[in-house]
Amino acid sequence: MLFILLFVPAFYPGASMLGGVLVAGLLALAHATTYAFFAAALPRSGGDYVYISRTLSPLLGFISSFNWLVWLSVYIGIPAAYFGQYGLSSLFRLLAAHYRNPDLMRFADFWQTPLGIFVAGTVLIVVFGSIFALGTKIYFRIQNVAFAFATLAVAVAGLVALLTSRETFIARFDEYVRAVGGVENAFQVAWESSGYQPHPFDAYQTFLSLSLPLYIVLYAITSSFIGGEVKNARRAQFFGMPGSVVYCTVWIVLLIAAFQKMVGYDGLGAIGAADPAALGLAFTPTFVELAGAVVHHNLLLILLIGLGFLLWTYVWLPINYLASTRILLAWSFDRLMPEKLSYVSPRTHTPLVAILVVGILGGDLLGALRVAYRSRQYRGDLRLDRLLHSHCDRRDRFPVSEARGF
């Protein structure tokens, strides 16, 4: 959702957000069902390495799992960056609007800087590494509470969007931008400065936009990497993997419908395509700020929405961290890596060496992102997304400062 609501209308002209999400959900459902069959038949930790090495070839299994390890490590560093760049920055800008406090606004802007992103991400990686070292049971208890709170926050944001008319949204959005030091009539300025033009439905652009919803729903299979630790794997994996695809797809469809009703497809496109500097902002509002703008006078609601969104920004990090350690364990058990990698603490029953190695890999990737930001090679994380999903020529028309925050 972080990218779909503003990114698709702005940079995939004529793409259907709802259509793209439904197609992505169907593709991911087939993907998840395949993995569920493997996880039920081979209830061992290690994911692709176990499945492919036992059915096709150990070499192919290693190659596939090595690819997974690389990308899972990348997506430890990236969600760690999201935590500051999108989560903390949005939360503190909502608070700045509520209190009309310039110091809070400067603090919000800090989390968009390379240093702020690196500090927040490093703390997050260290925290989760420490939790995993203490035991996965602790992690799952924390995750269950965080998931419930974050889901409530998303439901409230969606309800705000559903119950707010477009006219009310425009008035509140203009007020919100003024409250954080931006321009008058911000919604109209976004339209005029962005150069956004409405387009009819385009099936090809919808196809190109699939990478964004797939970016969310394809991760439903990561529980396969901890298959050996899942109780009643046959039932749990069949319920968990395809079930999570359906769950996520339904939520995304509902949120798209609600926000499209409140802001309008073209309104979302104009805000997403506008240079935030033209609005007097340091970074483009996230979708949760669009709901927060409507209720920014209500401290309880903006704390609920802002903190809930903060919890969603890093959602990939812990499971990718956990999955990466299990790949290393599977390699070590099969003598492909040093035996030390499979060392399990007798006190906490956790693979401490693998946890440390994966934490270092994730931290290195986060550090690489900081170097990229500082060199202004990507101008923010959307530039990295552009590198990873470089199939849309329209992205070459990104405003330089647009990618500072989405």
Side-chain angles (χ1 to χ4, degrees):
M1 291 305 300
L2 180 63
F3 300 116
I4 294 171
L5 278 170
L6 299 181
F7 200 178
V8 172
F11 301 111
Y12 294 90
S16 168
M17 289 189 287
L18 290 173
V21 167
L22 290 173
V23 171
L26 289 173
L27 293 173
L29 187 61
H31 181 245
T33 302
T34 302
Y35 270 82
F37 273 110
F38 271 116
L42 296 168
R44 274 193 56 186
S45 296
D48 277 35
Y49 173 70
V50 173
Y51 307 152
I52 296 175
S53 66
R54 270 55 174 180
T55 57
L56 294 176
S57 159
L59 176 60
L60 293 177
F62 177 78
I63 292 171
S64 176
S65 60
F66 179 81
N67 180 59
W68 265 108
L69 180 65
V70 170
W71 286 107
L72 288 171
S73 300
V74 168
Y75 282 97
I76 292 169
I78 289 177
Y82 287 174
F83 181 67
Q85 187 177 8
Y86 300 127
L88 290 173
S89 62
S90 296
L91 172 62
F92 281 102
R93 189 155 67 178
L94 286 168
L95 291 171
H98 177 79
Y99 287 109
R100 300 291 203 277
N101 188 317
D103 291 330
L104 283 173
M105 191 61 248
R106 285 189 286 272
F107 198 49
D109 292 345
F110 168 74
W111 299 114
Q112 286 276 319
T113 66
L115 178 60
I117 292 168
F118 182 75
V119 168
T122 299
V123 169
L124 197 65
I125 290 173
V126 170
V127 166
F128 274 106
S130 301
I131 291 171
F132 288 139
L134 294 173
T136 53
K137 286 185 179 180
I138 296 174
Y139 159 68
F140 283 118
R141 290 194 193 104
I142 294 171
Q143 189 69 358
N144 287 340
V145 173
F147 176 77
F149 182 84
T151 300
L152 175 63
V154 167
V156 170
L159 192 60
V160 168
L162 185 64
L163 298 178
T164 302
S165 69
R166 194 162 305 172
E167 293 74 19
T168 300
F169 166 75
I170 293 172
R172 296 288 177 83
F173 180 74
D174 289 348
E175 183 183 347
Y176 174 72
V177 173
R178 287 198 306 273
V180 294
V183 300
E184 298 283 338
N185 302 314
F187 189 77
Q188 184 64 31
V189 171
W191 265 99
E192 294 171 354
S193 65
S194 66
Y196 176 83
Q197 294 295 327
H199 290 80
F201 170 72
D202 190 316
Y204 179 63
Q205 290 295 329
T206 301
F207 170 74
L208 293 180
S209 73
L210 286 181
S211 64
L212 295 172
L214 285 172
Y215 193 54
I216 302 169
V217 292
L218 283 180
Y219 275 86
I221 59 90
T222 42
S223 65
S224 65
F225 291 94
I226 57 171
E229 300 157 70
V230 176
K231 295 180 180 179
N232 192 7
R234 182 179 295 274
R235 180 178 179 275
Q237 296 286 32
F238 268 106
F239 177 78
M241 291 189 203
S244 65
V245 172
V246 174
Y247 180 85
C248 289
T249 301
V250 169
W251 268 109
I252 296 170
V253 166
L254 291 175
L255 288 171
I256 288 173
F259 277 85
Q260 199 164 298
K261 178 258 176 190
M262 178 177 75
V263 187
Y265 182 95
D266 294 329
L268 290 168
I271 294 172
D275 183 341
L279 307 182
L281 303 177
F283 55 95
T284 302
T286 58
F287 85 91
V288 76
E289 285 185 85
L290 302 185
V294 176
V295 296
H296 73 272
H297 294 295
N298 187 315
L299 179 61
L300 180 62
L301 285 180
I302 62 171
L303 282 174
L304 174 62
I305 292 172
L307 287 171
F309 177 66
L310 180 68
L311 294 175
W312 284 119
T313 57
Y314 67 80
V315 68
W316 298 310
L317 187 154
I319 188 59
N320 290 349
Y321 198 132
L322 200 58
S324 298
T325 64
R326 274 36 181 191
I327 292 174
L328 293 179
L329 280 176
W331 287 353
S332 181
F333 286 146
D334 283 0
R335 304 287 195 270
L336 298 178
M337 287 288 166
E339 186 179 352
K340 196 71 174 175
L341 274 176
S342 59
Y343 169 75
V344 175
S345 167
R347 185 172 67 86
T348 61
H349 307 290
T350 54
L352 297 182
V353 177
I355 289 169
L356 178 62
V357 169
V358 172
I360 292 171
L361 287 174
D364 286 345
L365 264 298
L366 179 63
L369 285 176
R370 185 190 179 197
V371 171
Y373 295 161
R374 287 179 64 86
S375 69
R376 305 188 67 81
Q377 180 180 358
Y378 300 129
R379 310 298 177 100
D381 220 5
L382 289 186
R383 287 296 182 181
L384 180 60
D385 183 75
R386 176 184 172 189
L387 177 68
L388 298 176
H389 306 286
S390 56
H391 51 230
C392 182
D393 291 339
R394 186 169 174 82
R395 298 193 189 186
D396 290 335
R397 298 168 60 183
F398 275 12
V400 165
S401 57
E402 183 272 337
R404 288 294 300 124
F406 192 72

mmCIF file of all heavy atoms in Angstrom, residues 140-173:
data_model
loop_
_atom_site.group_PDB
_atom_site.id
_atom_site.type_symbol
_atom_site.label_atom_id
_atom_site.label_comp_id
_atom_site.label_asym_id
_atom_site.label_seq_id
_atom_site.Cartn_x
_atom_site.Cartn_y
_atom_site.Cartn_z
ATOM 1 N N PHE A 140 7.330 -14.040 18.275
ATOM 2 C CA PHE A 140 5.964 -14.268 17.832
ATOM 3 C C PHE A 140 4.943 -13.633 18.772
ATOM 4 O O PHE A 140 3.888 -13.181 18.333
ATOM 5 C CB PHE A 140 5.690 -15.768 17.660
ATOM 6 C CG PHE A 140 6.290 -16.325 16.401
ATOM 7 C CD1 PHE A 140 7.263 -17.317 16.471
ATOM 8 C CD2 PHE A 140 5.910 -15.852 15.150
ATOM 9 C CE1 PHE A 140 7.822 -17.831 15.309
ATOM 10 C CE2 PHE A 140 6.486 -16.354 13.990
ATOM 11 C CZ PHE A 140 7.439 -17.352 14.067
ATOM 12 N N ARG A 141 5.251 -13.573 20.061
ATOM 13 C CA ARG A 141 4.354 -12.870 20.986
ATOM 14 C C ARG A 141 4.299 -11.376 20.657
ATOM 15 O O ARG A 141 3.216 -10.771 20.616
ATOM 16 C CB ARG A 141 4.835 -13.058 22.432
ATOM 17 C CG ARG A 141 4.663 -14.473 22.972
ATOM 18 C CD ARG A 141 4.840 -14.490 24.481
ATOM 19 N NE ARG A 141 4.987 -15.850 24.978
ATOM 20 C CZ ARG A 141 6.137 -16.395 25.367
ATOM 21 N NH1 ARG A 141 7.257 -15.669 25.329
ATOM 22 N NH2 ARG A 141 6.194 -17.639 25.805
ATOM 23 N N ILE A 142 5.473 -10.796 20.433
ATOM 24 C CA ILE A 142 5.534 -9.372 20.079
ATOM 25 C C ILE A 142 4.825 -9.129 18.748
ATOM 26 O O ILE A 142 4.050 -8.177 18.595
ATOM 27 C CB ILE A 142 6.998 -8.897 20.007
ATOM 28 C CG1 ILE A 142 7.642 -8.956 21.391
ATOM 29 C CG2 ILE A 142 7.086 -7.476 19.445
ATOM 30 C CD1 ILE A 142 9.145 -8.723 21.378
ATOM 31 N N GLN A 143 5.084 -10.012 17.793
ATOM 32 C CA GLN A 143 4.512 -9.847 16.462
ATOM 33 C C GLN A 143 2.991 -9.945 16.481
ATOM 34 O O GLN A 143 2.302 -9.217 15.757
ATOM 35 C CB GLN A 143 5.103 -10.890 15.513
ATOM 36 C CG GLN A 143 4.747 -10.702 14.051
ATOM 37 C CD GLN A 143 5.403 -9.476 13.442
ATOM 38 O OE1 GLN A 143 6.110 -8.734 14.126
ATOM 39 N NE2 GLN A 143 5.164 -9.242 12.179
ATOM 40 N N ASN A 144 2.457 -10.827 17.296
ATOM 41 C CA ASN A 144 1.000 -10.966 17.362
ATOM 42 C C ASN A 144 0.340 -9.687 17.870
ATOM 43 O O ASN A 144 -0.684 -9.248 17.337
ATOM 44 C CB ASN A 144 0.622 -12.143 18.274
ATOM 45 C CG ASN A 144 0.906 -13.482 17.639
ATOM 46 O OD1 ASN A 144 1.033 -13.593 16.421
ATOM 47 N ND2 ASN A 144 1.020 -14.518 18.462
ATOM 48 N N VAL A 145 0.951 -9.084 18.890
ATOM 49 C CA VAL A 145 0.416 -7.829 19.425
ATOM 50 C C VAL A 145 0.551 -6.711 18.392
ATOM 51 O O VAL A 145 -0.390 -5.939 18.158
ATOM 52 C CB VAL A 145 1.139 -7.447 20.735
ATOM 53 C CG1 VAL A 145 0.696 -6.061 21.202
ATOM 54 C CG2 VAL A 145 0.873 -8.487 21.814
ATOM 55 N N ALA A 146 1.737 -6.610 17.768
ATOM 56 C CA ALA A 146 1.968 -5.575 16.757
ATOM 57 C C ALA A 146 1.020 -5.731 15.576
ATOM 58 O O ALA A 146 0.486 -4.749 15.048
ATOM 59 C CB ALA A 146 3.420 -5.626 16.283
ATOM 60 N N PHE A 147 0.808 -6.982 15.145
ATOM 61 C CA PHE A 147 -0.083 -7.243 14.020
ATOM 62 C C PHE A 147 -1.519 -6.802 14.333
ATOM 63 O O PHE A 147 -2.177 -6.166 13.509
ATOM 64 C CB PHE A 147 -0.062 -8.726 13.669
ATOM 65 C CG PHE A 147 -1.019 -9.122 12.586
ATOM 66 C CD1 PHE A 147 -0.726 -8.855 11.251
ATOM 67 C CD2 PHE A 147 -2.217 -9.750 12.889
ATOM 68 C CE1 PHE A 147 -1.613 -9.215 10.246
ATOM 69 C CE2 PHE A 147 -3.100 -10.119 11.903
ATOM 70 C CZ PHE A 147 -2.802 -9.846 10.571
ATOM 71 N N ALA A 148 -1.994 -7.125 15.531
ATOM 72 C CA ALA A 148 -3.354 -6.742 15.911
ATOM 73 C C ALA A 148 -3.502 -5.225 15.945
ATOM 74 O O ALA A 148 -4.488 -4.665 15.425
ATOM 75 C CB ALA A 148 -3.703 -7.341 17.273
ATOM 76 N N PHE A 149 -2.515 -4.537 16.541
ATOM 77 C CA PHE A 149 -2.585 -3.072 16.625
ATOM 78 C C PHE A 149 -2.509 -2.438 15.238
ATOM 79 O O PHE A 149 -3.283 -1.523 14.911
ATOM 80 C CB PHE A 149 -1.445 -2.550 17.499
ATOM 81 C CG PHE A 149 -1.451 -1.057 17.684
ATOM 82 C CD1 PHE A 149 -2.235 -0.474 18.656
ATOM 83 C CD2 PHE A 149 -0.675 -0.239 16.860
ATOM 84 C CE1 PHE A 149 -2.254 0.909 18.827
ATOM 85 C CE2 PHE A 149 -0.690 1.136 17.022
ATOM 86 C CZ PHE A 149 -1.476 1.717 18.008
ATOM 87 N N ALA A 150 -1.579 -2.915 14.407
ATOM 88 C CA ALA A 150 -1.398 -2.346 13.070
ATOM 89 C C ALA A 150 -2.624 -2.595 12.193
ATOM 90 O O ALA A 150 -3.004 -1.739 11.384
ATOM 91 C CB ALA A 150 -0.152 -2.926 12.412
ATOM 92 N N THR A 151 -3.246 -3.762 12.342
ATOM 93 C CA THR A 151 -4.458 -4.051 11.572
ATOM 94 C C THR A 151 -5.598 -3.130 11.988
ATOM 95 O O THR A 151 -6.347 -2.624 11.146
ATOM 96 C CB THR A 151 -4.872 -5.525 11.767
ATOM 97 O OG1 THR A 151 -3.814 -6.368 11.316
ATOM 98 C CG2 THR A 151 -6.138 -5.839 10.976
ATOM 99 N N LEU A 152 -5.730 -2.891 13.292
ATOM 100 C CA LEU A 152 -6.737 -1.939 13.775
ATOM 101 C C LEU A 152 -6.487 -0.552 13.184
ATOM 102 O O LEU A 152 -7.430 0.131 12.744
ATOM 103 C CB LEU A 152 -6.698 -1.874 15.302
ATOM 104 C CG LEU A 152 -7.606 -0.826 15.960
ATOM 105 C CD1 LEU A 152 -9.077 -1.111 15.662
ATOM 106 C CD2 LEU A 152 -7.365 -0.781 17.470
ATOM 107 N N ALA A 153 -5.223 -0.144 13.133
ATOM 108 C CA ALA A 153 -4.880 1.176 12.585
ATOM 109 C C ALA A 153 -5.252 1.280 11.116
ATOM 110 O O ALA A 153 -5.796 2.302 10.665
ATOM 111 C CB ALA A 153 -3.381 1.440 12.775
ATOM 112 N N VAL A 154 -4.966 0.237 10.338
ATOM 113 C CA VAL A 154 -5.323 0.241 8.920
ATOM 114 C C VAL A 154 -6.833 0.294 8.752
ATOM 115 O O VAL A 154 -7.355 1.007 7.878
ATOM 116 C CB VAL A 154 -4.744 -1.014 8.225
ATOM 117 C CG1 VAL A 154 -5.365 -1.205 6.854
ATOM 118 C CG2 VAL A 154 -3.240 -0.889 8.089
ATOM 119 N N ALA A 155 -7.552 -0.445 9.585
ATOM 120 C CA ALA A 155 -9.015 -0.435 9.510
ATOM 121 C C ALA A 155 -9.565 0.960 9.799
ATOM 122 O O ALA A 155 -10.482 1.441 9.116
ATOM 123 C CB ALA A 155 -9.600 -1.447 10.492
ATOM 124 N N VAL A 156 -8.990 1.640 10.787
ATOM 125 C CA VAL A 156 -9.431 2.995 11.120
ATOM 126 C C VAL A 156 -9.118 3.959 9.978
ATOM 127 O O VAL A 156 -9.951 4.788 9.598
ATOM 128 C CB VAL A 156 -8.770 3.469 12.433
ATOM 129 C CG1 VAL A 156 -9.015 4.953 12.656
ATOM 130 C CG2 VAL A 156 -9.302 2.652 13.606
ATOM 131 N N ALA A 157 -7.904 3.850 9.402
ATOM 132 C CA ALA A 157 -7.541 4.710 8.264
ATOM 133 C C ALA A 157 -8.489 4.478 7.096
ATOM 134 O O ALA A 157 -8.939 5.434 6.441
ATOM 135 C CB ALA A 157 -6.098 4.442 7.843
ATOM 136 N N GLY A 158 -8.802 3.209 6.814
ATOM 137 C CA GLY A 158 -9.733 2.909 5.741
ATOM 138 C C GLY A 158 -11.119 3.441 6.018
ATOM 139 O O GLY A 158 -11.796 3.954 5.118
ATOM 140 N N LEU A 159 -11.560 3.346 7.272
ATOM 141 C CA LEU A 159 -12.884 3.857 7.641
ATOM 142 C C LEU A 159 -12.942 5.373 7.503
ATOM 143 O O LEU A 159 -13.951 5.927 7.026
ATOM 144 C CB LEU A 159 -13.201 3.445 9.082
ATOM 145 C CG LEU A 159 -14.644 3.632 9.557
ATOM 146 C CD1 LEU A 159 -15.605 2.807 8.702
ATOM 147 C CD2 LEU A 159 -14.776 3.255 11.029
ATOM 148 N N VAL A 160 -11.876 6.049 7.905
ATOM 149 C CA VAL A 160 -11.808 7.508 7.726
ATOM 150 C C VAL A 160 -11.942 7.857 6.246
ATOM 151 O O VAL A 160 -12.708 8.759 5.867
ATOM 152 C CB VAL A 160 -10.486 8.067 8.293
ATOM 153 C CG1 VAL A 160 -10.272 9.516 7.847
ATOM 154 C CG2 VAL A 160 -10.478 7.972 9.813
ATOM 155 N N ALA A 161 -11.205 7.139 5.400
ATOM 156 C CA ALA A 161 -11.267 7.404 3.957
ATOM 157 C C ALA A 161 -12.659 7.122 3.400
ATOM 158 O O ALA A 161 -13.183 7.880 2.577
ATOM 159 C CB ALA A 161 -10.229 6.551 3.236
ATOM 160 N N LEU A 162 -13.275 6.052 3.861
ATOM 161 C CA LEU A 162 -14.590 5.666 3.353
ATOM 162 C C LEU A 162 -15.667 6.681 3.718
ATOM 163 O O LEU A 162 -16.587 6.944 2.927
ATOM 164 C CB LEU A 162 -14.959 4.285 3.911
ATOM 165 C CG LEU A 162 -16.251 3.657 3.397
ATOM 166 C CD1 LEU A 162 -16.161 3.373 1.898
ATOM 167 C CD2 LEU A 162 -16.564 2.383 4.168
ATOM 168 N N LEU A 163 -15.554 7.278 4.905
ATOM 169 C CA LEU A 163 -16.601 8.171 5.408
ATOM 170 C C LEU A 163 -16.361 9.640 5.067
ATOM 171 O O LEU A 163 -17.180 10.493 5.406
ATOM 172 C CB LEU A 163 -16.720 8.024 6.932
ATOM 173 C CG LEU A 163 -17.131 6.635 7.441
ATOM 174 C CD1 LEU A 163 -17.161 6.609 8.961
ATOM 175 C CD2 LEU A 163 -18.479 6.236 6.870
ATOM 176 N N THR A 164 -15.253 9.941 4.413
ATOM 177 C CA THR A 164 -14.901 11.333 4.108
ATOM 178 C C THR A 164 -15.214 11.653 2.650
ATOM 179 O O THR A 164 -14.778 10.931 1.753
ATOM 180 C CB THR A 164 -13.416 11.591 4.393
ATOM 181 O OG1 THR A 164 -13.134 11.286 5.767
ATOM 182 C CG2 THR A 164 -13.050 13.044 4.109
ATOM 183 N N SER A 165 -15.939 12.732 2.426
ATOM 184 C CA SER A 165 -16.231 13.158 1.054
ATOM 185 C C SER A 165 -14.995 13.779 0.426
ATOM 186 O O SER A 165 -14.070 14.205 1.128
ATOM 187 C CB SER A 165 -17.372 14.166 1.050
ATOM 188 O OG SER A 165 -16.946 15.380 1.648
ATOM 189 N N ARG A 166 -14.999 13.865 -0.881
ATOM 190 C CA ARG A 166 -13.847 14.436 -1.576
ATOM 191 C C ARG A 166 -13.675 15.910 -1.222
ATOM 192 O O ARG A 166 -12.556 16.402 -1.045
ATOM 193 C CB ARG A 166 -14.024 14.262 -3.091
ATOM 194 C CG ARG A 166 -12.752 14.499 -3.892
ATOM 195 C CD ARG A 166 -12.864 13.909 -5.280
ATOM 196 N NE ARG A 166 -13.204 12.489 -5.212
ATOM 197 C CZ ARG A 166 -13.511 11.746 -6.266
ATOM 198 N NH1 ARG A 166 -13.508 12.290 -7.465
ATOM 199 N NH2 ARG A 166 -13.815 10.479 -6.125
ATOM 200 N N GLU A 167 -14.780 16.630 -1.105
ATOM 201 C CA GLU A 167 -14.712 18.052 -0.774
ATOM 202 C C GLU A 167 -14.108 18.257 0.619
ATOM 203 O O GLU A 167 -13.273 19.147 0.830
ATOM 204 C CB GLU A 167 -16.108 18.679 -0.837
ATOM 205 C CG GLU A 167 -16.730 18.735 -2.222
ATOM 206 C CD GLU A 167 -17.209 17.368 -2.712
ATOM 207 O OE1 GLU A 167 -17.399 16.462 -1.861
ATOM 208 O OE2 GLU A 167 -17.373 17.212 -3.938
ATOM 209 N N THR A 168 -14.542 17.417 1.562
ATOM 210 C CA THR A 168 -13.986 17.519 2.913
ATOM 211 C C THR A 168 -12.498 17.173 2.909
ATOM 212 O O THR A 168 -11.692 17.836 3.574
ATOM 213 C CB THR A 168 -14.731 16.574 3.870
ATOM 214 O OG1 THR A 168 -16.109 16.938 3.900
ATOM 215 C CG2 THR A 168 -14.146 16.643 5.272
ATOM 216 N N PHE A 169 -12.135 16.150 2.164
ATOM 217 C CA PHE A 169 -10.723 15.780 2.108
ATOM 218 C C PHE A 169 -9.881 16.932 1.585
ATOM 219 O O PHE A 169 -8.829 17.246 2.151
ATOM 220 C CB PHE A 169 -10.502 14.560 1.215
ATOM 221 C CG PHE A 169 -9.054 14.357 0.874
ATOM 222 C CD1 PHE A 169 -8.169 13.849 1.815
ATOM 223 C CD2 PHE A 169 -8.548 14.745 -0.369
ATOM 224 C CE1 PHE A 169 -6.820 13.709 1.533
ATOM 225 C CE2 PHE A 169 -7.205 14.599 -0.666
ATOM 226 C CZ PHE A 169 -6.333 14.080 0.298
ATOM 227 N N ILE A 170 -10.309 17.560 0.496
ATOM 228 C CA ILE A 170 -9.515 18.642 -0.091
ATOM 229 C C ILE A 170 -9.314 19.767 0.917
ATOM 230 O O ILE A 170 -8.203 20.292 1.081
ATOM 231 C CB ILE A 170 -10.189 19.161 -1.378
ATOM 232 C CG1 ILE A 170 -10.143 18.077 -2.465
ATOM 233 C CG2 ILE A 170 -9.505 20.436 -1.875
ATOM 234 C CD1 ILE A 170 -10.945 18.413 -3.712
ATOM 235 N N ALA A 171 -10.387 20.126 1.625
ATOM 236 C CA ALA A 171 -10.284 21.202 2.612
ATOM 237 C C ALA A 171 -9.334 20.810 3.745
ATOM 238 O O ALA A 171 -8.484 21.610 4.167
ATOM 239 C CB ALA A 171 -11.668 21.529 3.169
ATOM 240 N N ARG A 172 -9.440 19.564 4.235
ATOM 241 C CA ARG A 172 -8.578 19.125 5.336
ATOM 242 C C ARG A 172 -7.135 18.937 4.869
ATOM 243 O O ARG A 172 -6.197 19.198 5.623
ATOM 244 C CB ARG A 172 -9.112 17.818 5.917
ATOM 245 C CG ARG A 172 -10.492 17.952 6.565
ATOM 246 C CD ARG A 172 -10.425 18.710 7.884
ATOM 247 N NE ARG A 172 -11.745 18.886 8.452
ATOM 248 C CZ ARG A 172 -12.383 17.975 9.186
ATOM 249 N NH1 ARG A 172 -11.798 16.808 9.423
ATOM 250 N NH2 ARG A 172 -13.577 18.227 9.665
ATOM 251 N N PHE A 173 -6.948 18.475 3.658
ATOM 252 C CA PHE A 173 -5.589 18.303 3.135
ATOM 253 C C PHE A 173 -4.911 19.664 3.013
ATOM 254 O O PHE A 173 -3.732 19.816 3.399
ATOM 255 C CB PHE A 173 -5.632 17.623 1.770
ATOM 256 C CG PHE A 173 -4.279 17.405 1.144
ATOM 257 C CD1 PHE A 173 -3.427 16.415 1.618
ATOM 258 C CD2 PHE A 173 -3.852 18.191 0.077
ATOM 259 C CE1 PHE A 173 -2.175 16.211 1.044
ATOM 260 C CE2 PHE A 173 -2.604 18.000 -0.501
ATOM 261 C CZ PHE A 173 -1.760 17.010 -0.016
#
